[in-house]
PDB file of all heavy atoms in Angstrom:
ATOM      1  N   ILE A 203      38.224  40.202 -48.287  1.00 97.00           N
ATOM      2  CA  ILE A 203      39.019  39.813 -49.485  1.00 97.00           C
ATOM      3  C   ILE A 203      39.337  38.313 -49.387  1.00 97.00           C
ATOM      4  O   ILE A 203      40.100  37.856 -48.463  1.00 97.00           O
ATOM      5  CB  ILE A 203      40.308  40.626 -49.598  1.00 97.00           C
ATOM      6  CG1 ILE A 203      39.972  42.148 -49.611  1.00 97.00           C
ATOM      7  CG2 ILE A 203      41.084  40.272 -50.828  1.00 97.00           C
ATOM      8  CD1 ILE A 203      41.224  43.044 -49.481  1.00 97.00           C
ATOM      9  N   GLY A 204      38.829  37.500 -50.314  1.00 97.00           N
ATOM     10  CA  GLY A 204      39.159  36.016 -50.287  1.00 97.00           C
ATOM     11  C   GLY A 204      40.645  35.845 -50.575  1.00 97.00           C
ATOM     12  O   GLY A 204      41.302  36.728 -51.118  1.00 97.00           O
ATOM     13  N   ASP A 205      41.050  34.682 -50.127  1.00 95.00           N
ATOM     14  CA  ASP A 205      42.520  34.326 -50.443  1.00 95.00           C
ATOM     15  C   ASP A 205      42.773  34.231 -51.976  1.00 95.00           C
ATOM     16  O   ASP A 205      42.097  33.526 -52.664  1.00 95.00           O
ATOM     17  CB  ASP A 205      42.815  32.910 -49.692  1.00 95.00           C
ATOM     18  CG  ASP A 205      44.259  32.661 -49.742  1.00 95.00           C
ATOM     19  OD1 ASP A 205      44.704  32.103 -50.749  1.00 95.00           O
ATOM     20  OD2 ASP A 205      44.917  33.063 -48.774  1.00 95.00           O
ATOM     21  N   ARG A 206      43.842  35.068 -52.192  1.00 95.00           N
ATOM     22  CA  ARG A 206      44.171  35.045 -53.719  1.00 95.00           C
ATOM     23  C   ARG A 206      44.604  33.770 -54.320  1.00 95.00           C
ATOM     24  O   ARG A 206      44.205  33.395 -55.384  1.00 95.00           O
ATOM     25  CB  ARG A 206      45.260  36.160 -53.978  1.00 95.00           C
ATOM     26  CG  ARG A 206      44.757  37.585 -53.879  1.00 95.00           C
ATOM     27  CD  ARG A 206      44.135  37.987 -52.496  1.00 95.00           C
ATOM     28  NE  ARG A 206      45.294  37.881 -51.477  1.00 95.00           N
ATOM     29  CZ  ARG A 206      45.164  37.691 -50.181  1.00 95.00           C
ATOM     30  NH1 ARG A 206      43.909  37.542 -49.732  1.00 95.00           N
ATOM     31  NH2 ARG A 206      46.097  37.560 -49.300  1.00 95.00           N
ATOM     32  N   THR A 207      45.464  32.988 -53.629  1.00 93.00           N
ATOM     33  CA  THR A 207      45.959  31.718 -54.028  1.00 93.00           C
ATOM     34  C   THR A 207      44.752  30.792 -54.136  1.00 93.00           C
ATOM     35  O   THR A 207      44.715  29.944 -55.148  1.00 93.00           O
ATOM     36  CB  THR A 207      47.014  31.207 -53.156  1.00 93.00           C
ATOM     37  OG1 THR A 207      48.147  32.149 -53.206  1.00 93.00           O
ATOM     38  CG2 THR A 207      47.500  29.872 -53.581  1.00 93.00           C
ATOM     39  N   GLU A 208      43.952  30.651 -53.188  1.00 95.00           N
ATOM     40  CA  GLU A 208      42.732  29.723 -53.163  1.00 95.00           C
ATOM     41  C   GLU A 208      41.802  30.049 -54.499  1.00 95.00           C
ATOM     42  O   GLU A 208      41.385  29.104 -55.096  1.00 95.00           O
ATOM     43  CB  GLU A 208      41.988  29.848 -51.886  1.00 95.00           C
ATOM     44  CG  GLU A 208      42.737  29.245 -50.719  1.00 95.00           C
ATOM     45  CD  GLU A 208      41.791  29.078 -49.533  1.00 95.00           C
ATOM     46  OE1 GLU A 208      40.691  29.466 -49.619  1.00 95.00           O
ATOM     47  OE2 GLU A 208      42.247  28.522 -48.557  1.00 95.00           O
ATOM     48  N   PHE A 209      41.703  31.297 -54.726  1.00 96.00           N
ATOM     49  CA  PHE A 209      41.004  31.625 -55.969  1.00 96.00           C
ATOM     50  C   PHE A 209      41.723  31.149 -57.247  1.00 96.00           C
ATOM     51  O   PHE A 209      41.107  30.530 -58.095  1.00 96.00           O
ATOM     52  CB  PHE A 209      40.708  33.163 -56.170  1.00 96.00           C
ATOM     53  CG  PHE A 209      40.067  33.538 -57.372  1.00 96.00           C
ATOM     54  CD1 PHE A 209      38.700  33.203 -57.626  1.00 96.00           C
ATOM     55  CD2 PHE A 209      40.829  34.142 -58.412  1.00 96.00           C
ATOM     56  CE1 PHE A 209      38.116  33.558 -58.773  1.00 96.00           C
ATOM     57  CE2 PHE A 209      40.278  34.490 -59.662  1.00 96.00           C
ATOM     58  CZ  PHE A 209      38.901  34.249 -59.801  1.00 96.00           C
ATOM     59  N   ILE A 210      42.987  31.485 -57.320  1.00 95.00           N
ATOM     60  CA  ILE A 210      43.793  30.943 -58.517  1.00 95.00           C
ATOM     61  C   ILE A 210      43.780  29.408 -58.648  1.00 95.00           C
ATOM     62  O   ILE A 210      43.590  29.043 -59.779  1.00 95.00           O
ATOM     63  CB  ILE A 210      45.254  31.473 -58.287  1.00 95.00           C
ATOM     64  CG1 ILE A 210      45.447  32.915 -58.419  1.00 95.00           C
ATOM     65  CG2 ILE A 210      46.174  30.845 -59.335  1.00 95.00           C
ATOM     66  CD1 ILE A 210      46.741  33.621 -57.960  1.00 95.00           C
ATOM     67  N   GLN A 211      43.674  28.681 -57.506  1.00 93.00           N
ATOM     68  CA  GLN A 211      43.694  27.311 -57.648  1.00 93.00           C
ATOM     69  C   GLN A 211      42.293  26.729 -57.727  1.00 93.00           C
ATOM     70  O   GLN A 211      42.123  25.482 -57.755  1.00 93.00           O
ATOM     71  CB  GLN A 211      44.371  26.704 -56.372  1.00 93.00           C
ATOM     72  CG  GLN A 211      45.925  27.100 -56.255  1.00 93.00           C
ATOM     73  CD  GLN A 211      46.523  26.541 -54.936  1.00 93.00           C
ATOM     74  OE1 GLN A 211      45.830  26.469 -53.956  1.00 93.00           O
ATOM     75  NE2 GLN A 211      47.717  26.143 -55.050  1.00 93.00           N
ATOM     76  N   GLY A 212      41.256  27.566 -57.746  1.00 95.00           N
ATOM     77  CA  GLY A 212      39.926  27.182 -58.011  1.00 95.00           C
ATOM     78  C   GLY A 212      39.222  26.649 -56.707  1.00 95.00           C
ATOM     79  O   GLY A 212      38.154  26.006 -56.751  1.00 95.00           O
ATOM     80  N   LYS A 213      39.814  26.911 -55.640  1.00 96.00           N
ATOM     81  CA  LYS A 213      39.205  26.373 -54.323  1.00 96.00           C
ATOM     82  C   LYS A 213      38.089  27.339 -53.811  1.00 96.00           C
ATOM     83  O   LYS A 213      37.300  26.925 -53.041  1.00 96.00           O
ATOM     84  CB  LYS A 213      40.375  26.443 -53.176  1.00 96.00           C
ATOM     85  CG  LYS A 213      41.419  25.331 -53.538  1.00 96.00           C
ATOM     86  CD  LYS A 213      42.574  25.234 -52.421  1.00 96.00           C
ATOM     87  CE  LYS A 213      43.631  24.230 -52.832  1.00 96.00           C
ATOM     88  NZ  LYS A 213      44.740  24.233 -51.797  1.00 96.00           N
ATOM     89  N   ILE A 214      38.139  28.575 -54.216  1.00 96.00           N
ATOM     90  CA  ILE A 214      37.015  29.513 -53.846  1.00 96.00           C
ATOM     91  C   ILE A 214      36.585  30.116 -55.224  1.00 96.00           C
ATOM     92  O   ILE A 214      37.385  30.300 -56.225  1.00 96.00           O
ATOM     93  CB  ILE A 214      37.296  30.692 -52.847  1.00 96.00           C
ATOM     94  CG1 ILE A 214      38.508  31.522 -53.384  1.00 96.00           C
ATOM     95  CG2 ILE A 214      37.646  29.978 -51.479  1.00 96.00           C
ATOM     96  CD1 ILE A 214      38.726  32.670 -52.512  1.00 96.00           C
ATOM     97  N   LYS A 215      35.240  30.484 -55.329  1.00 96.00           N
ATOM     98  CA  LYS A 215      34.789  30.883 -56.653  1.00 96.00           C
ATOM     99  C   LYS A 215      34.742  32.473 -56.805  1.00 96.00           C
ATOM    100  O   LYS A 215      34.808  33.066 -57.903  1.00 96.00           O
ATOM    101  CB  LYS A 215      33.286  30.412 -56.814  1.00 96.00           C
ATOM    102  CG  LYS A 215      33.273  28.857 -56.956  1.00 96.00           C
ATOM    103  CD  LYS A 215      34.251  28.301 -57.956  1.00 96.00           C
ATOM    104  CE  LYS A 215      34.124  26.794 -58.058  1.00 96.00           C
ATOM    105  NZ  LYS A 215      35.045  26.267 -59.032  1.00 96.00           N
ATOM    106  N   THR A 216      34.527  33.197 -55.628  1.00 97.00           N
ATOM    107  CA  THR A 216      34.411  34.538 -55.737  1.00 97.00           C
ATOM    108  C   THR A 216      35.840  35.235 -55.917  1.00 97.00           C
ATOM    109  O   THR A 216      36.689  35.030 -55.166  1.00 97.00           O
ATOM    110  CB  THR A 216      33.797  35.144 -54.405  1.00 97.00           C
ATOM    111  OG1 THR A 216      32.522  34.527 -54.175  1.00 97.00           O
ATOM    112  CG2 THR A 216      33.639  36.719 -54.495  1.00 97.00           C
ATOM    113  N   ASN A 217      35.862  35.950 -56.989  1.00 98.00           N
ATOM    114  CA  ASN A 217      37.166  36.726 -57.330  1.00 98.00           C
ATOM    115  C   ASN A 217      37.388  37.791 -56.335  1.00 98.00           C
ATOM    116  O   ASN A 217      36.641  38.746 -56.167  1.00 98.00           O
ATOM    117  CB  ASN A 217      37.018  37.248 -58.802  1.00 98.00           C
ATOM    118  CG  ASN A 217      38.356  37.708 -59.335  1.00 98.00           C
ATOM    119  OD1 ASN A 217      39.323  38.051 -58.570  1.00 98.00           O
ATOM    120  ND2 ASN A 217      38.589  37.602 -60.617  1.00 98.00           N
ATOM    121  N   PRO A 218      38.557  37.756 -55.628  1.00 98.00           N
ATOM    122  CA  PRO A 218      38.917  38.854 -54.724  1.00 98.00           C
ATOM    123  C   PRO A 218      38.992  40.243 -55.313  1.00 98.00           C
ATOM    124  O   PRO A 218      39.043  41.225 -54.728  1.00 98.00           O
ATOM    125  CB  PRO A 218      40.318  38.411 -54.181  1.00 98.00           C
ATOM    126  CG  PRO A 218      40.408  36.872 -54.516  1.00 98.00           C
ATOM    127  CD  PRO A 218      39.611  36.735 -55.705  1.00 98.00           C
ATOM    128  N   ALA A 219      39.105  40.254 -56.708  1.00 98.00           N
ATOM    129  CA  ALA A 219      39.302  41.479 -57.406  1.00 98.00           C
ATOM    130  C   ALA A 219      38.058  42.379 -57.056  1.00 98.00           C
ATOM    131  O   ALA A 219      38.220  43.716 -57.165  1.00 98.00           O
ATOM    132  CB  ALA A 219      39.273  41.214 -58.891  1.00 98.00           C
ATOM    133  N   PHE A 220      36.902  41.879 -56.879  1.00 98.00           N
ATOM    134  CA  PHE A 220      35.645  42.727 -56.713  1.00 98.00           C
ATOM    135  C   PHE A 220      35.726  43.497 -55.293  1.00 98.00           C
ATOM    136  O   PHE A 220      35.521  44.661 -55.301  1.00 98.00           O
ATOM    137  CB  PHE A 220      34.398  41.879 -56.706  1.00 98.00           C
ATOM    138  CG  PHE A 220      34.158  41.461 -58.017  1.00 98.00           C
ATOM    139  CD1 PHE A 220      34.306  40.078 -58.333  1.00 98.00           C
ATOM    140  CD2 PHE A 220      33.833  42.231 -59.112  1.00 98.00           C
ATOM    141  CE1 PHE A 220      34.093  39.563 -59.578  1.00 98.00           C
ATOM    142  CE2 PHE A 220      33.585  41.677 -60.361  1.00 98.00           C
ATOM    143  CZ  PHE A 220      33.808  40.400 -60.679  1.00 98.00           C
ATOM    144  N   ALA A 221      36.274  42.798 -54.306  1.00 98.00           N
ATOM    145  CA  ALA A 221      36.439  43.454 -52.905  1.00 98.00           C
ATOM    146  C   ALA A 221      37.575  44.451 -53.042  1.00 98.00           C
ATOM    147  O   ALA A 221      37.563  45.535 -52.478  1.00 98.00           O
ATOM    148  CB  ALA A 221      36.663  42.426 -51.931  1.00 98.00           C
ATOM    149  N   ILE A 222      38.644  44.005 -53.769  1.00 98.00           N
ATOM    150  CA  ILE A 222      39.841  44.955 -53.846  1.00 98.00           C
ATOM    151  C   ILE A 222      39.490  46.218 -54.631  1.00 98.00           C
ATOM    152  O   ILE A 222      39.787  47.343 -54.149  1.00 98.00           O
ATOM    153  CB  ILE A 222      41.024  44.200 -54.648  1.00 98.00           C
ATOM    154  CG1 ILE A 222      41.565  43.045 -53.745  1.00 98.00           C
ATOM    155  CG2 ILE A 222      42.050  45.164 -55.042  1.00 98.00           C
ATOM    156  CD1 ILE A 222      42.441  42.107 -54.518  1.00 98.00           C
ATOM    157  N   SER A 223      38.737  46.043 -55.623  1.00 98.00           N
ATOM    158  CA  SER A 223      38.327  47.301 -56.412  1.00 98.00           C
ATOM    159  C   SER A 223      37.335  48.139 -55.617  1.00 98.00           C
ATOM    160  O   SER A 223      37.477  49.444 -55.698  1.00 98.00           O
ATOM    161  CB  SER A 223      37.617  46.984 -57.796  1.00 98.00           C
ATOM    162  OG  SER A 223      36.500  46.019 -57.575  1.00 98.00           O
ATOM    163  N   GLU A 224      36.505  47.611 -54.837  1.00 98.00           N
ATOM    164  CA  GLU A 224      35.637  48.440 -53.984  1.00 98.00           C
ATOM    165  C   GLU A 224      36.389  49.213 -52.940  1.00 98.00           C
ATOM    166  O   GLU A 224      36.089  50.297 -52.672  1.00 98.00           O
ATOM    167  CB  GLU A 224      34.549  47.484 -53.219  1.00 98.00           C
ATOM    168  CG  GLU A 224      33.462  46.845 -54.152  1.00 98.00           C
ATOM    169  CD  GLU A 224      32.719  45.723 -53.513  1.00 98.00           C
ATOM    170  OE1 GLU A 224      32.922  45.458 -52.280  1.00 98.00           O
ATOM    171  OE2 GLU A 224      31.735  45.204 -54.209  1.00 98.00           O
ATOM    172  N   ILE A 225      37.361  48.503 -52.399  1.00 98.00           N
ATOM    173  CA  ILE A 225      38.226  49.185 -51.474  1.00 98.00           C
ATOM    174  C   ILE A 225      39.013  50.331 -52.059  1.00 98.00           C
ATOM    175  O   ILE A 225      39.178  51.391 -51.435  1.00 98.00           O
ATOM    176  CB  ILE A 225      39.252  48.179 -50.755  1.00 98.00           C
ATOM    177  CG1 ILE A 225      38.404  47.305 -49.768  1.00 98.00           C
ATOM    178  CG2 ILE A 225      40.244  48.929 -49.901  1.00 98.00           C
ATOM    179  CD1 ILE A 225      39.098  46.093 -49.260  1.00 98.00           C
ATOM    180  N   LEU A 226      39.522  50.127 -53.258  1.00 98.00           N
ATOM    181  CA  LEU A 226      40.193  51.173 -54.077  1.00 98.00           C
ATOM    182  C   LEU A 226      39.316  52.361 -54.333  1.00 98.00           C
ATOM    183  O   LEU A 226      39.729  53.501 -54.194  1.00 98.00           O
ATOM    184  CB  LEU A 226      40.809  50.526 -55.344  1.00 98.00           C
ATOM    185  CG  LEU A 226      42.057  49.703 -55.259  1.00 98.00           C
ATOM    186  CD1 LEU A 226      42.313  48.981 -56.482  1.00 98.00           C
ATOM    187  CD2 LEU A 226      43.288  50.540 -54.946  1.00 98.00           C
ATOM    188  N   LEU A 227      38.028  52.038 -54.698  1.00 98.00           N
ATOM    189  CA  LEU A 227      37.122  53.129 -54.945  1.00 98.00           C
ATOM    190  C   LEU A 227      36.858  54.008 -53.612  1.00 98.00           C
ATOM    191  O   LEU A 227      36.662  55.180 -53.669  1.00 98.00           O
ATOM    192  CB  LEU A 227      35.869  52.645 -55.545  1.00 98.00           C
ATOM    193  CG  LEU A 227      36.022  52.014 -56.937  1.00 98.00           C
ATOM    194  CD1 LEU A 227      34.694  51.204 -57.349  1.00 98.00           C
ATOM    195  CD2 LEU A 227      36.255  53.158 -57.927  1.00 98.00           C
ATOM    196  N   SER A 228      36.804  53.274 -52.486  1.00 98.00           N
ATOM    197  CA  SER A 228      36.641  53.893 -51.263  1.00 98.00           C
ATOM    198  C   SER A 228      37.837  54.731 -50.920  1.00 98.00           C
ATOM    199  O   SER A 228      37.706  55.894 -50.356  1.00 98.00           O
ATOM    200  CB  SER A 228      36.355  52.917 -50.151  1.00 98.00           C
ATOM    201  OG  SER A 228      35.135  52.221 -50.296  1.00 98.00           O
ATOM    202  N   LEU A 229      39.074  54.227 -51.108  1.00 98.00           N
ATOM    203  CA  LEU A 229      40.164  55.051 -50.928  1.00 98.00           C
ATOM    204  C   LEU A 229      40.279  56.267 -51.821  1.00 98.00           C
ATOM    205  O   LEU A 229      40.713  57.336 -51.349  1.00 98.00           O
ATOM    206  CB  LEU A 229      41.386  54.105 -51.246  1.00 98.00           C
ATOM    207  CG  LEU A 229      41.841  53.053 -50.165  1.00 98.00           C
ATOM    208  CD1 LEU A 229      42.840  52.059 -50.822  1.00 98.00           C
ATOM    209  CD2 LEU A 229      42.349  53.689 -48.918  1.00 98.00           C
ATOM    210  N   GLU A 230      39.787  56.105 -53.056  1.00 98.00           N
ATOM    211  CA  GLU A 230      39.730  57.314 -53.958  1.00 98.00           C
ATOM    212  C   GLU A 230      38.790  58.332 -53.322  1.00 98.00           C
ATOM    213  O   GLU A 230      39.146  59.556 -53.348  1.00 98.00           O
ATOM    214  CB  GLU A 230      39.261  56.888 -55.334  1.00 98.00           C
ATOM    215  CG  GLU A 230      39.296  57.963 -56.270  1.00 98.00           C
ATOM    216  CD  GLU A 230      39.079  57.498 -57.725  1.00 98.00           C
ATOM    217  OE1 GLU A 230      38.467  56.470 -57.944  1.00 98.00           O
ATOM    218  OE2 GLU A 230      39.523  58.258 -58.666  1.00 98.00           O
ATOM    219  N   LYS A 231      37.632  57.925 -52.892  1.00 98.00           N
ATOM    220  CA  LYS A 231      36.685  58.920 -52.251  1.00 98.00           C
ATOM    221  C   LYS A 231      37.259  59.621 -51.019  1.00 98.00           C
ATOM    222  O   LYS A 231      36.960  60.676 -50.727  1.00 98.00           O
ATOM    223  CB  LYS A 231      35.417  58.193 -51.835  1.00 98.00           C
ATOM    224  CG  LYS A 231      34.600  57.691 -53.041  1.00 98.00           C
ATOM    225  CD  LYS A 231      33.394  56.962 -52.662  1.00 98.00           C
ATOM    226  CE  LYS A 231      32.485  56.569 -53.732  1.00 98.00           C
ATOM    227  NZ  LYS A 231      31.259  55.727 -53.309  1.00 98.00           N
ATOM    228  N   MET A 232      38.196  58.958 -50.368  1.00 98.00           N
ATOM    229  CA  MET A 232      38.813  59.577 -49.160  1.00 98.00           C
ATOM    230  C   MET A 232      39.981  60.336 -49.583  1.00 98.00           C
ATOM    231  O   MET A 232      40.644  61.000 -48.731  1.00 98.00           O
ATOM    232  CB  MET A 232      39.296  58.419 -48.221  1.00 98.00           C
ATOM    233  CG  MET A 232      38.194  57.707 -47.413  1.00 98.00           C
ATOM    234  SD  MET A 232      38.784  56.514 -46.252  1.00 98.00           S
ATOM    235  CE  MET A 232      38.886  55.077 -47.215  1.00 98.00           C
ATOM    236  N   GLY A 233      40.324  60.482 -50.916  1.00 98.00           N
ATOM    237  CA  GLY A 233      41.386  61.383 -51.257  1.00 98.00           C
ATOM    238  C   GLY A 233      42.646  60.742 -51.897  1.00 98.00           C
ATOM    239  O   GLY A 233      43.544  61.474 -52.288  1.00 98.00           O
ATOM    240  N   ALA A 234      42.685  59.480 -51.892  1.00 98.00           N
ATOM    241  CA  ALA A 234      43.910  58.712 -52.486  1.00 98.00           C
ATOM    242  C   ALA A 234      43.983  58.943 -53.926  1.00 98.00           C
ATOM    243  O   ALA A 234      42.927  58.900 -54.685  1.00 98.00           O
ATOM    244  CB  ALA A 234      43.903  57.296 -52.199  1.00 98.00           C
ATOM    245  N   THR A 235      45.095  59.381 -54.509  1.00 98.00           N
ATOM    246  CA  THR A 235      45.406  59.553 -55.888  1.00 98.00           C
ATOM    247  C   THR A 235      46.065  58.431 -56.586  1.00 98.00           C
ATOM    248  O   THR A 235      46.119  58.280 -57.757  1.00 98.00           O
ATOM    249  CB  THR A 235      46.060  60.930 -56.127  1.00 98.00           C
ATOM    250  OG1 THR A 235      47.170  60.959 -55.328  1.00 98.00           O
ATOM    251  CG2 THR A 235      45.082  62.085 -55.745  1.00 98.00           C
ATOM    252  N   VAL A 236      46.967  57.774 -55.778  1.00 98.00           N
ATOM    253  CA  VAL A 236      47.831  56.650 -56.225  1.00 98.00           C
ATOM    254  C   VAL A 236      47.678  55.549 -55.206  1.00 98.00           C
ATOM    255  O   VAL A 236      47.523  55.871 -53.909  1.00 98.00           O
ATOM    256  CB  VAL A 236      49.276  57.091 -56.447  1.00 98.00           C
ATOM    257  CG1 VAL A 236      49.840  57.645 -55.122  1.00 98.00           C
ATOM    258  CG2 VAL A 236      50.125  55.993 -57.084  1.00 98.00           C
ATOM    259  N   ALA A 237      47.784  54.209 -55.659  1.00 98.00           N
ATOM    260  CA  ALA A 237      47.560  53.185 -54.716  1.00 98.00           C
ATOM    261  C   ALA A 237      48.292  51.951 -55.148  1.00 98.00           C
ATOM    262  O   ALA A 237      48.882  51.860 -56.155  1.00 98.00           O
ATOM    263  CB  ALA A 237      46.084  52.822 -54.729  1.00 98.00           C
ATOM    264  N   GLY A 238      48.422  51.065 -54.118  1.00 98.00           N
ATOM    265  CA  GLY A 238      49.212  49.791 -54.418  1.00 98.00           C
ATOM    266  C   GLY A 238      48.598  48.750 -53.629  1.00 98.00           C
ATOM    267  O   GLY A 238      47.901  48.823 -52.600  1.00 98.00           O
ATOM    268  N   LEU A 239      48.750  47.439 -54.126  1.00 98.00           N
ATOM    269  CA  LEU A 239      48.310  46.273 -53.584  1.00 98.00           C
ATOM    270  C   LEU A 239      49.477  45.438 -52.993  1.00 98.00           C
ATOM    271  O   LEU A 239      50.281  44.859 -53.778  1.00 98.00           O
ATOM    272  CB  LEU A 239      47.623  45.421 -54.563  1.00 98.00           C
ATOM    273  CG  LEU A 239      46.575  46.066 -55.422  1.00 98.00           C
ATOM    274  CD1 LEU A 239      45.964  45.005 -56.553  1.00 98.00           C
ATOM    275  CD2 LEU A 239      45.519  46.644 -54.687  1.00 98.00           C
ATOM    276  N   PRO A 240      49.725  45.487 -51.623  1.00 97.00           N
ATOM    277  CA  PRO A 240      50.855  44.747 -51.092  1.00 97.00           C
ATOM    278  C   PRO A 240      50.551  43.180 -50.996  1.00 97.00           C
ATOM    279  O   PRO A 240      50.473  42.615 -49.940  1.00 97.00           O
ATOM    280  CB  PRO A 240      51.047  45.307 -49.628  1.00 97.00           C
ATOM    281  CG  PRO A 240      49.625  45.885 -49.368  1.00 97.00           C
ATOM    282  CD  PRO A 240      49.022  46.291 -50.663  1.00 97.00           C
TER     283      PRO A 240
END
């Protein structure tokens, strides 16, 4: 997961959202029904 602030500031191009969503989908496959991003 790329640094969120660096993405917001344009210092990195890859949106961390893609890695976050992939992890959420993995959590769902493992049985998670509700999730949060700390």
Side-chain angles (χ1 to χ4, degrees):
I203 306 173
D205 188 271
R206 285 65 59 205
T207 295
E208 288 188 354
F209 173 75
I210 292 166
Q211 295 177 330
K213 295 178 181 178
I214 62 174
K215 300 301 181 185
T216 302
N217 194 329
F220 296 107
I222 292 169
S223 58
E224 288 170 3
I225 291 169
L226 282 166
L227 292 168
S228 295
L229 287 167
E230 186 174 22
K231 288 178 181 177
M232 289 185 273
T235 54
V236 61
L239 311 179

